Amino acid sequence: MSHPKTPPRTAVLGPFHLSVLTPDCAEEDFAAVIASQERLTGLMGDDWPKGITWDQNHADLARHAQEFDEDIAYAWVIRDPAGGYLGCAYIKPSAEDRGRGVAYLWLQEGEHDPARLADLTQRLTDWMDGLGYDPAHFPLRAA
């Protein structure tokens, strides 16, 4: 199994604009996470984001940016064409099983609707597949 390519730091997937998730996004990210907390709980396989504080969220964003820089895992903020915050996407390769991992996608409350989520899920899956992140080996969990 070949190693997938390092994803780009930015991408445009139709009406969805991705850029690396960094602490610069902390204010809007924290507001979106808190507003979407009920739907997001359990998405990542644990109880995140229950009880998360602004400082913890800021530290998470710093960790995501560092992981991207170190080619460990990848996280993006998703925006609309006008720059509005929609949600986040993540690719988390397995440290133990090369060529496998999981991907996550979420849209914040107020931006989440089934048609938009389905459109973004398909675009993101196709994009990831083109980078070598086979959907059979990097299943996408969405909320």
Side-chain angles (χ1 to χ4, degrees), residues 35-83:
S36 309
Q37 182 172 329
E38 186 174 317
R39 192 166 29 79
L40 295 178
T41 300
L43 174 67
M44 308 280 187
D46 57 20
D47 65 351
W48 176 87
K50 283 193 175 180
I52 195 166
T53 66
W54 190 93
D55 288 337
Q56 290 168 329
N57 189 68
H58 189 269
D60 282 350
L61 300 186
R63 179 179 46 82
H64 289 315
Q66 182 176 358
E67 288 173 340
F68 205 115
D69 290 344
E70 294 176 0
D71 203 24
I72 295 170
Y74 314 98
W76 299 266
V77 61
I78 304 166
R79 298 185 182 281
D80 63 24

Side-chain angles (χ1 to χ4, degrees), residues 36 39-40 86 105-118 142-143:
S36 309
R39 192 166 29 79
L40 295 178
L86 298 176
L105 160 66
W106 62 270
L107 294 175
Q108 72 170 327
E109 286 304 313
E111 300 297 344
H112 181 275
D113 73 66
R116 177 182 256 173
L117 185 60

